[in-house]
Amino acid sequence: MSAGRLLVSALRDPGSLADPDWSALIAAARAEQLLGSLAERLRNHALPRKTTQILAAARRESAHQRTRALWEAEMARRALAPLGVPVVLLKGTAFHAANLAAAAGRSVGDLDILVPRERMAQVEAALLAAGWERMKEADGYDDLYYRRWMHELPPLIHRDRDRMIDVHHTILPPTARPTPDARALIADSVALESGLRILAPADMVIHAAAHLFADGDLAGGLRNLWDIDRLLRQFDSAAFRAQLAARADLHQLRRSTARALRLAARLYGSPIDRGLAGRDRIADRLFEARLLARNGWGQPRRPLLRFAFYVRSHWLRMPPAMLARHLWVKARR
Amino acid sequence: MKHSLTLRIGPVGFRIGSAWRGPIDALAALYKGYPAPEDGICDFTVRLEPEKPWRRWLRPSVAIQGDYVLPDAAPMALAHGLLAAEMGMNLQMALGQKSWLLLHAASVEKDGRALILTGESGAGKSTLAALLGERGWRLMGDEFALLDPESGALHPFPRAVSLKNGAIRVMEGEVDSARFGPRLEGTPKGAIRHLRPNAQALARMDVPASPALILFPRFGEAAAARAVGPAEIFMRLTQASTNYVALGQAGFDALTRLVATPAAAIDYPDTASAVDLVETLWAEAA
């Protein structure tokens, strides 16, 4: 069994673990940034003493990450409060801020926020004034590339706290074929007590699916899919299923959402709406193989398959001529 | 991985994999006599991989990979593969250790009481600890000391001692040559030679000690000692710890408890006077 497969079955059904290769499982979980989630899943299971100790350390680490993520969100809130802009937290920080089931052990790297496109310039200025700095050289190729073609500002990093913020105005690059309804994402977002906001449940699942299948090359995909599983389990109801289908159509992301549901069910046994998910496709197996391509040393496997998904991610993001120019500039560095 | 080795150092299990045989053989020789990880379960994985696929054979170049990596760490020559493995293990500890408060410090023990030596690279803590470890003290470690946040005890982490430049000759005069690794020339820190801790250090690597004296050595000045108060100890140790912030309240509590330990900053012109200073201060603290 591949270590990727071992990790998935440990997350899906911790009771099924009979004397696994713990070193391999732990290395694979770390490589996929899922050790904290695994530690939460195995919380009440009898484990070897050493494993217990390693997982306790992982819990300590994710508790620290949670504190840091929430503090960073609060810092952004303070910096942006005078603007009166709706600030929507995305991904891991959103799960933690709203105490969703997906937050259990969830690692968080950068802070991702969504704001209305027409307020981006003000948001950037306010963040720069509050101590965030540009990472990309102003007006360099990367900087201009982001500003012209991406769904987010070039990343900013805080000079004292060394934490990165990604400011999005929508959830897919404008060059991608689907055009999500960014206004609807913000209009239907949910306010938290702090004044910060999170996406509506269906939009959260759709964003995770878009991030996984329409934007990225599936790097970190097992964690992304685990988020989707947790969200589907927490929100599952007839009303939610109807919402999910309607919003997937609204955001032109029905295909990605359907694929996310099928793969979540396949790997993690998530409860899904078969009407929305559709029948299994041959290509699903390729996605599954790509997601599980990790060995017990934490190394990526299947370089050709990975490369194919890398090319695919760019193909989805840009028209061919632009893609050729972009890859040419990147390759010459 | 093609070649690999597992071993336990104090409470921490390591698994080192390599695309080449050389670094693993060197590591196995240096760590002869070390136990296997508890239940075969490793805390950390280190991988020595070619920087690019063809760099396995063509001008071999070792990239340090593993559970935790520094994104811009430069690859090393295959001749320095042993050093790469050592650095890889250090990295896992510095970036991944969350069970103990990690102090970048050398430590030795006598009568169940620990002496902690901490200071910047080049302060001479490795040499001092290695020397004391051959002269009636037990070597607990030269790179990291593990402070138990609950009990306040110091846990041994007796890795091979990393001797640099002049320190190599000092220890070669003191110790049987069978305990040394190969001499590595032209590393980023000059010449390096590793020394395997002695039988006592290995046999008692699971026995913790309680902190009794903290010294901040500095090499290259006339011999002098100055007492250091709790506030300064606290500041110096937060800087010497890579995971103080990450441990949150537990880290703060552990460090607050530790600053009650007597401490001094010492200057020394040569190793003989350093050993004298240490023995004097130790006798006073006792």
Side-chain angles (χ1 to χ4, degrees):
Chain A
M1 184 165 30
S2 86
R5 177 78 66 188
L6 175 62
L7 172 58
V8 163
S9 54
L11 285 168
R12 177 180 178 158
D13 179 13
S16 70
L17 283 179
D19 195 25
D21 179 345
W22 286 109
S23 301
L25 177 57
I26 288 160
R30 279 207 183 107
E32 295 289 346
Q33 302 218 55
L34 276 165
L35 190 61
S37 307
L38 183 65
E40 291 304 330
R41 285 293 279 163
L42 294 177
R43 201 180 257 283
N44 297 315
H45 287 74
L47 305 167
R49 198 183 75 118
K50 190 71 212 175
T51 305
T52 307
Q53 197 183 78
I54 293 170
L55 295 183
R59 276 184 217 109
R60 220 166 282 137
E61 170 68 5
S62 49
H64 173 59
Q65 287 205 17
R66 174 189 167 87
T67 307
R68 265 208 322 192
L70 295 178
W71 179 245
E72 203 56 27
E74 171 60 15
M75 291 291 98
R77 188 195 66 76
R78 290 183 195 180
L80 300 178
L83 301 182
V85 187
V87 177
V88 183
L89 300 173
L90 300 173
K91 302 185 200 167
T93 310
F95 306 154
H96 282 293
N99 261 321
L100 300 181
R106 173 61 150 83
S107 63
V108 187
D110 310 335
L111 171 61
D112 294 273
I113 60 171
L114 175 73
V115 299
R117 183 167 199 168
E118 62 276 11
R119 308 294 299 274
M120 292 281 276
Q122 286 165 286
V123 167
E124 186 178 18
L127 291 175
L128 290 172
W132 276 271
E133 293 174 341
R134 291 199 172 93
M135 292 178 71
K136 308 280 182 189
E137 188 192 337
D139 303 331
Y141 176 81
D142 286 344
D143 187 74
L144 292 175
Y145 177 82
Y146 265 97
R147 287 175 196 282
R148 178 125 189 242
W149 299 116
M150 289 297 280
H151 51 307
E152 58 190 313
L153 286 175
L156 300 169
I157 194 158
H158 196 275
R159 65 166 170 251
D160 300 326
R161 296 189 305 276
D162 202 29
R163 300 284 285 174
M164 206 147 77
I165 186 168
D166 281 328
V167 182
H168 302 247
H169 60 78
T170 180
I171 55 175
L172 276 186
T175 49
R177 276 132 229 162
T179 309
D181 186 339
R183 278 175 197 287
L185 288 171
I186 293 173
D188 297 324
S189 63
V190 182
L192 302 173
E193 244 173 64
S194 61
L196 289 163
R197 311 180 72 85
I198 60 167
L199 293 174
D203 285 351
M204 242 188 291
V205 172
I206 292 164
H207 177 216
H211 184 57
L212 188 51
F213 298 119
D215 187 19
D217 63 355
L218 275 84
L222 281 185
R223 184 181 73 164
N224 228 300
L225 202 63
W226 180 247
D227 289 344
I228 292 173
D229 171 79
R230 298 289 98 181
L231 293 170
L232 290 174
R233 284 177 196 273
Q234 180 162 13
F235 294 121
D236 195 36
S237 71
F240 172 75
R241 289 178 179 211
Q243 266 289 315
L244 191 58
R247 298 295 278 197
D249 285 334
L250 173 72
H251 296 308
Q252 302 177 12
L253 283 164
R254 195 179 177 105
R255 277 184 60 180
S256 302
T257 306
R259 174 155 276 145
L261 296 187
R262 293 199 301 274
L263 279 157
R266 219 178 152 103
L267 291 177
Y268 294 126
S270 322
I272 62 165
D273 172 2
R274 270 289 156 193
L276 176 56
R279 261 180 304 173
D280 285 359
R281 307 285 179 85
I282 304 281
D284 291 350
R285 283 188 221 159
L286 283 177
F287 282 86
E288 181 174 0
R290 167 64 186 87
L291 287 168
L292 297 177
R294 179 79 64 185
N295 73 11
W297 283 87
Q299 292 171 298
R301 297 282 73 184
R302 294 172 167 264
L304 285 178
L305 188 63
R306 281 173 183 270
F307 183 70
F309 273 96
Y310 174 77
V311 172
R312 174 186 175 274
S313 75
H314 279 71
W315 177 253
L316 293 178
R317 258 187 296 195
M318 350 180 164
M322 188 179 162
L323 174 59
R325 189 177 116 74
H326 177 68
L327 292 179
W328 173 247
V329 172
K330 288 273 192 194
R332 288 202 313 173
R333 295 202 172 156
Chain B
M1 301 279 324
K2 211 160 157 53
H3 308 280
S4 67
L5 178 74
T6 59
L7 62 122
R8 183 165 70 78
I9 298 164
V12 186
F14 287 97
R15 181 171 63 145
I16 301 104
S18 169
W20 304 270
R21 170 183 285 281
I24 296 298
D25 284 350
L27 210 57
L30 190 60
Y31 285 96
K32 214 173 109 206
Y34 276 68
E38 182 180 332
D39 294 333
I41 302 169
C42 299
D43 294 73
F44 297 116
T45 292
V46 175
R47 309 191 311 258
L48 305 179
E49 295 178 346
E51 183 200 1
K52 295 264 163 40
W54 57 87
R55 297 296 289 269
R56 177 185 296 228
W57 300 281
L58 205 68
R59 290 192 295 129
S61 169
V62 186
I64 302 170
Q65 301 288 335
D67 293 326
Y68 301 93
V69 293
L70 286 180
D72 38 8
M76 303 173 72
L78 183 54
H80 295 162
L82 175 62
L83 182 60
E86 287 283 309
M87 287 170 67
M89 287 194 275
N90 279 344
L91 263 183
Q92 306 316 309
M93 289 294 283
L95 301 176
Q97 184 55 261
K98 300 288 184 289
S99 294
W100 293 273
L101 183 72
L102 197 68
L103 299 174
H104 186 218
S107 52
V108 290
E109 173 262 1
K110 213 183 234 181
D111 309 323
R113 291 147 45 83
L115 162 65
I116 299 171
L117 297 156
T118 178
E120 284 167 20
S121 190
K125 57 184 167 18
S126 286
T127 322
L128 256 176
L131 212 53
L132 293 169
E134 303 300 323
R135 297 185 181 175
W137 299 69
R138 167 178 55 128
L139 177 76
M140 295 178 72
D142 83 309
E143 182 80 28
F144 293 123
L146 308 175
L147 191 67
D148 188 328
E150 267 154 40
S151 68
L154 206 67
H155 284 263
F157 187 64
R159 293 266 309 285
V161 179
S162 163
L163 299 166
K164 293 168 203 92
N165 303 314
I168 300 174
R169 212 170 339 102
V170 173
M171 291 312 295
E172 279 171 347
E174 194 88 9
V175 175
D176 174 16
S177 65
R179 279 176 45 208
F180 284 96
R183 187 182 164 102
L184 308 171
E185 300 288 354
T187 79
K189 293 194 167 172
I192 288 185
R193 197 167 185 192
H194 293 96
L195 169 68
R196 181 168 65 237
N198 61 22
Q200 191 202 184
L202 254 72
R204 303 186 62 206
M205 67 157 74
D206 296 326
V207 185
S210 49
L213 178 64
I214 303 171
L215 294 178
F216 301 101
R218 190 170 61 170
F219 171 69
E221 309 277 335
R226 160 178 80 82
V228 170
E232 189 180 341
I233 303 177
F234 192 91
M235 285 309 294
R236 284 185 184 243
L237 291 181
T238 55
Q239 285 162 7
S241 173
T242 58
N243 66 356
Y244 164 67
V245 173
L247 290 190
Q249 178 84 38
F252 179 80
D253 291 345
L255 218 48
T256 314
R257 171 153 30 160
L258 187 61
V259 298
T261 312
I266 57 170
D267 291 344
Y268 65 94
D270 52 57
T271 38
S273 45
V275 172
D276 285 348
L277 262 173
V278 169
E279 295 286 3
T280 312
L281 290 167
W282 182 258
E284 283 171 14

